[in-house]
């Protein structure tokens, strides 16, 4: 009789204990809360991976200006230092207030540095990955289970980072970024299937708002990742991401996949998806068009406004990490707040679900459009554009409660596929926005930036109006499979000792 090595016995016992612990956690806290926690942390990891290349490039960039060099650079190029002059008091002393000097302002072109070019290539490679995978992933999730695909998506996004040090700034690095984008693109439809499968309709918006944890990941890697790279080197950032992703997946497998997948409802298992009706559905395309607007706004805010504040208004380089990280935390908490509010509004019966979705699409598109338009005309006060940037990014947090949730409302049985279509269209818009905004990143003439912000404003308004006309929060007739009856399961209240917005 073969004997098992002591180390394997210990590992086996540990695995059994962990499985028992997972059952206790699910029984005592509630499966929905456990699922919400892991979905949130999974999207945080995805956000960390998405921005990790930029952090690794910027943290130890040899092309960065010193404080003295940057001050001289701003003095020679910046709009605010060249064309805003301080007022003088009656006694001849200089005042802290400034005025705009009206004169013919020449166009100033600032060449793109090698770091900027490299960062742009790696960012676009990741976007191409997110473009090709969502729609296919939605159909894979319908067959293998959203629990499995979401876990694999997050795992693949993070673990592939272990290849980055060996392929740094080579063609292999670009391939790694594309693969990471493919895995991340698969998480979106899988999360939407989880939402309609496990979360009660009255709590749907609050759960979907957790997707904005991607922005929280931007802030985490911007703050902690920069410290890690500066003290330990850029390779360690990739290693830490890979290890954390592996640990996350192991816990996901034990606490979520092993517990939920065997008992999952079958409502998203339809094989005969009505493609013709889906592709001809105006509410489905309204969701996709609205996602294009929100993605374009995010690209303009995240990619363009921080450069605008630095190049046009002369914000010191010491503030760059704060401007690129802290507003994303505000975006995340704003999204959670919007999700709770819209669920309360729907439950109270004040307005219909369709009206609620259109209201929050309005909030996520119209105010940011107005704020970005004003950004180009804020004059000589540098605090004004910074405040407008933070406010606009917070308002875009309403996207999850509006257009994202609408994709689940109109076809719960095919929510993953509808959202996969929306994310595919949105990723195409994000790529287009990235190219368009990049063209205006290196000019400190205010009029050049007004063109960038004006284009974003127009696209936001158009996509919002499109959703106002064709968007919906009602279940469409093609939600039911033509060849298979819909399976409705009784909504069983599970025990919970925690008060949660998801219960």
């Amino acid at each position: 009789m073969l004997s098992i090595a002591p180390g394997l016995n210990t590992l086996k016992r540990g695995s059994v204990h962990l499985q028992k612990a997972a059952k206790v956690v699910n029984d005592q806290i509630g499966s929905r809360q456990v699922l919400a926690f892991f979905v949130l942390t999974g999207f945080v990891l995805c956000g960390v991976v998405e921005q990790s290349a930029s952090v690794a490039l910027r943290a130890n960039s040899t092309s960065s200006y010193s404080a003295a060099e940057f001050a001289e650079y701003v003095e020679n190029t910046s709009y605010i230092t060249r064309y805003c002059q301080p007022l003088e008091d009656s006694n001849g002393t200089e005042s802290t207030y400034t005025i705009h000097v009206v004169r013919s302002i020449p166009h100033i072109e600032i060449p793109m540095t090698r770091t900027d070019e490299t960062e742009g290539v790696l960012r676009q490679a990741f976007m191409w990955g997110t473009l090709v995978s969502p729609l296919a992933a939605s159909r894979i999730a319908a067959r293998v289970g959203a629990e499995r695909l979401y876990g694999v998506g997050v795992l693949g996004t993070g673990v592939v980072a272990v290849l980055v040090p060996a392929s740094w700034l080579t063609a292999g690095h670009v391939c790694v970024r594309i693969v990471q984008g493919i895995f991340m693109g698969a998480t979106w439809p899988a999360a939407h299937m989880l939402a309609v499968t496990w979360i009660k309709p009255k709590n749907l918006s609050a759960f979907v708002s957790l997707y904005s944890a991607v922005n929280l990941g931007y802030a985490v890697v911007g703050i902690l990742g920069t410290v890690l790279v500066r003290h330990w080197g850029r390779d360690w950032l990739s290693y830490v991401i890979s290890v954390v992703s592996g640990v996350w997946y192991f816990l996901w497998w034990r606490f979520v996949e092993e517990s939920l997948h065997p008992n999952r409802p079958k409502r998203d298992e339809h094989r005969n998806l009505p493609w013709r009706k889906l592709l001809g559905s105006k509410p489905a395309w309204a969701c996709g068009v609205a996602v294009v607007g929100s993605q374009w706004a995010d690209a303009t805010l995240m990619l363009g406004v921080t450069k605008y504040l630095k190049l046009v208004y002369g914000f010191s380089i010491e503030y760059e990490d704060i401007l690129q990280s802290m507003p994303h935390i505000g975006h995340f908490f704003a999204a959670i707040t919007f999700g709770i509010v819209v669920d309360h509004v729907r439950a109270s019966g004040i307005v219909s679900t369709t009206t609620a979705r259109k209201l929050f699409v309005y909030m996520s598109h119209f105010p940011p459009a107005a704020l970005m338009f004003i950004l180009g005309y804020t004059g000589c006060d540098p605090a004004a554009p910074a405040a407008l940037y933070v406010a606009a990014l917070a308002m875009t947090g309403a996207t999850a409660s509006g257009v994202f949730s609408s994709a689940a409302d109109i076809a719960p049985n095919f929510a993953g596929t509808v959202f996969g279509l929306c994310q595919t269209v949105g990723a195409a818009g994000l790529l287009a926005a990235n190219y368009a905004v990049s063209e205006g990143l290196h000019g400190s003439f205010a009029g050049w930036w007004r063109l960038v912000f004006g284009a974003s404003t127009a696209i936001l308004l158009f996509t919002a109006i499109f959703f106002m006309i064709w968007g919906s929060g009602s279940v469409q007739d093609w939600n039911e499979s033509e060849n298979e009856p819909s399976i409705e399961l009784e909504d069983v209240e599970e025990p919970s000792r925690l008060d949660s917005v998801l219960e």
Side-chain angles (χ1 to χ4, degrees), residues 19 73 78 83-84 143 183 198-199 202 233 252 282 287 304 306 319 325 350-351 432 440 453 503:
Q19 189 172 11
Y73 171 76
S78 161
Y83 304 109
C84 296
R143 294 180 179 275
F183 276 110
W198 294 106
I199 305 302
K202 66 179 182 180
W252 168 271
K282 294 176 182 177
C287 291
T306 51
Y319 291 99
S325 301
I350 299 174
V351 297
F453 298 145
E503 283 286 338

Side-chain angles (χ1 to χ4, degrees), residues 237-283:
L237 178 60
S238 299
Y239 297 144
V240 169
I241 289 174
S242 299
V243 170
V244 171
S245 299
V247 172
W248 178 92
Y249 179 74
F250 178 74
L251 296 176
W252 168 271
W253 173 60
R254 276 304 190 188
F255 283 83
V256 177
E257 188 174 322
E258 287 284 298
S259 301
L260 298 186
H261 183 75
N263 302 313
R264 63 196 302 268
K266 303 299 182 182
R267 63 185 304 169
D268 59 344
E269 289 283 355
H270 291 300
R271 298 292 185 262
N272 301 308
L273 190 149
W275 282 106
R276 181 175 298 179
K277 292 183 178 180
L278 168 60
L279 296 178
S281 172
K282 294 176 182 177

Side-chain angles (χ1 to χ4, degrees), residues 32 35-36 38-39 43 141 145-151 187-200 204 207-208 211 248 252 256-257 260-261 264-265 267-268 412 415-416:
R32 291 186 179 96
L35 176 65
F38 278 101
V39 167
F43 276 123
E147 299 84 5
R148 290 175 177 171
L149 186 63
Y150 184 82
T187 61
W188 296 100
H192 235 46
M193 286 187 177
L194 291 173
V196 298
T197 302
W198 294 106
I199 305 302
K200 300 174 183 179
L204 181 67
F207 183 85
V208 173
Y211 301 180
W248 178 92
W252 168 271
V256 177
E257 188 174 322
L260 298 186
H261 183 75
R264 63 196 302 268
R267 63 185 304 169
D268 59 344

